[in-house]
């Protein structure tokens, strides 16, 4: 059972990694944003893979009793956003990730090493 926000981040990260998400980044945005504590960002080389990653994140978190509060982008599968309240998962097609460059937009947010996340 998941009890902390950090455990949600780890579970989402693992679900992304299971489906070969590329360049997974975790940003701690809690000190600079009121919308979430963490962004988990990844990319994929095809729309099918973007969808597969999103479905796996949802499935794995549902097994823990966590349900997505909102989701956007399933129609185009170029950028899917899964909102879990304190954790937002961004799954980009590689081209969209480069274009929107959330890491640059949130440059003041520190990167989190998933292995050291408590």
């Amino acid at each position: 059972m998941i009890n902390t926000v950090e455990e949600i981040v780890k579970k989402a990260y693992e679900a992304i990694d299971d489906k070969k998400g590329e360049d997974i980044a975790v940003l701690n945005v809690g000190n600079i944003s009121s919308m979430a504590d963490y962004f988990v960002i990844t990319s994929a080389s095809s729309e099918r893979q973007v969808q597969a990653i999103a479905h796996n994140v949802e499935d794995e978190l549902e097994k823990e009793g966590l349900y997505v509060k909102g989701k956007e982008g399933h129609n185009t599968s170029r950028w899917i956003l899964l909102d879990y309240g304190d954790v937002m998962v961004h799954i980009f097609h590689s081209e969209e990730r480069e274009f929107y460059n959330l890491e640059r937009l949130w440059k003041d947010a520190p990167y989190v090493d998933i292995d050291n996340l408590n």
Side-chain angles (χ1 to χ4, degrees):
M1 175 150 203
I2 291 180
N3 296 312
T4 67
V5 174
E6 289 76 17
E7 289 173 338
I8 297 170
V9 171
K10 285 183 178 182
K11 193 67 163 175
Y13 185 101
E14 291 167 1
I16 292 166
D17 193 46
D18 285 347
K19 292 297 179 185
K20 309 295 185 218
E22 301 168 2
D23 301 320
I24 307 169
V26 178
L27 301 178
N28 183 337
V29 297
N31 290 330
I32 58 174
S33 172
S34 61
M35 78 171 78
D37 289 335
Y38 293 96
F39 283 178
V40 181
I41 305 168
T42 192
S43 49
S45 58
S46 72
E47 292 170 7
R48 180 171 282 169
Q49 187 182 13
V50 169
Q51 285 183 347
I53 292 169
H55 286 279
N56 200 48
V57 170
E58 287 185 82
D59 291 345
E60 292 301 314
L61 288 174
E62 282 179 12
K63 288 178 187 175
E64 300 293 333
L66 297 168
Y67 297 89
V68 67
K69 296 175 191 247
K71 74 180 140 178
E72 296 181 28
H74 266 279
N75 294 341
T76 62
S77 299
R78 301 289 292 180
W79 175 6
I80 295 177
L81 170 65
L82 303 175
D83 180 357
Y84 288 94
D86 291 331
V87 177
M88 292 196 168
V89 180
H90 299 268
I91 307 157
F92 286 97
H93 188 284
S94 300
E95 295 166 356
E96 266 64 17
R97 184 172 184 181
E98 186 177 324
F99 179 79
Y100 289 104
N101 198 352
L102 288 187
E103 291 96 326
R104 181 183 51 77
L105 289 174
W106 293 92
K107 67 180 183 246
D108 293 335
Y111 282 85
V112 175
D113 181 350
I114 197 72
D115 294 325
N116 295 326
L117 190 61
N118 295 330

